[in-house]
Amino acid sequence: MTTVETTVETTAVDMWFDPVCPWAWIGSRWLLEVEQVRQVRSRFRVFGLAAHNDGREVDDWYRQWLAERRGPARVVLAAERAHGSEVLRDLYTALGNRIHLEKAPIGRELYLAALEEAGLPAGLADAADDAGLDPVLLAGNRAALDPIGEDLGVPAIHIAGPDGSVNAFFGPVVSPIPRGEAAGRLWDGILLVTEAEGFFELKRGRTCGPIVD
């Protein structure tokens, strides 16, 4: 009797994030949990929330909040351009742990510490003040949002299908971070609803803020 081995293909998932967004941070940590229980591999891609909201009608507090937090996305973009997208996973983790867990101030000391942890050159910290990177960020934003809607943001997720199709959506917006098999079940459910033709929205009011740890 001949035994036929079957293999499960790994699903490629692209997730766009801004390092300062707590909901994107939760979404990214959820995807890392999913990788442990499903055949999934995430690729992280940078999104510029401040650049995205330039010229848009947003609350004054949010505009000011974004204005003070442009630097991290620029630093991540500069790292990607110089060293490739594969460095984003570790750099995002190094930045996110400091921003969301340690509540470190946004600034040069943050960038230098995260870059050192990720094994990247300290000179990339200079990109935080480089407004010339914003048009490049906007191009990345467009790639993230074109399939899901201009009025949305991050987390933005694209899931590659075996036939070359892309299942793209905003979210999930979830708190706290699902762990272990709970993360896998959420993944299964999201695939089930988002792959349904004509499915657009499933939503309920928030009962808590982002629980990031």
Side-chain angles (χ1 to χ4, degrees), residues 2 55 65 71 124 126 158 166 169 198:
T2 301
W65 187 86
L124 291 170
D126 296 340
H158 296 189
V166 175
F169 51 86

Side-chain angles (χ1 to χ4, degrees), residues 36-90:
Q36 304 306 308
V37 294
R38 300 292 187 272
Q39 288 294 112
V40 168
R41 179 67 177 176
S42 303
R43 300 179 296 198
F44 294 107
R45 305 194 181 282
V46 64
F47 187 98
L49 275 174
H52 174 63
N53 283 283
D54 281 342
R56 294 174 179 269
E57 291 187 12
V58 297
D59 291 339
D60 289 341
W61 72 265
Y62 186 54
R63 187 176 304 283
Q64 181 62 31
W65 187 86
L66 288 174
E68 297 167 354
R69 290 164 173 80
R70 288 182 177 269
R74 291 172 175 169
V75 171
V76 172
L77 176 62
E80 180 183 30
R81 297 180 81 191
H83 300 280
S85 60
E86 64 275 5
V87 305
L88 296 193
R89 175 178 288 238
D90 289 344

Side-chain angles (χ1 to χ4, degrees), residues 124-144:
L124 291 170
D126 296 340
D129 299 318
D130 185 359
L133 291 171
D134 290 350
V136 187
L137 282 171
L138 285 171
N141 293 359
R142 174 61 59 193

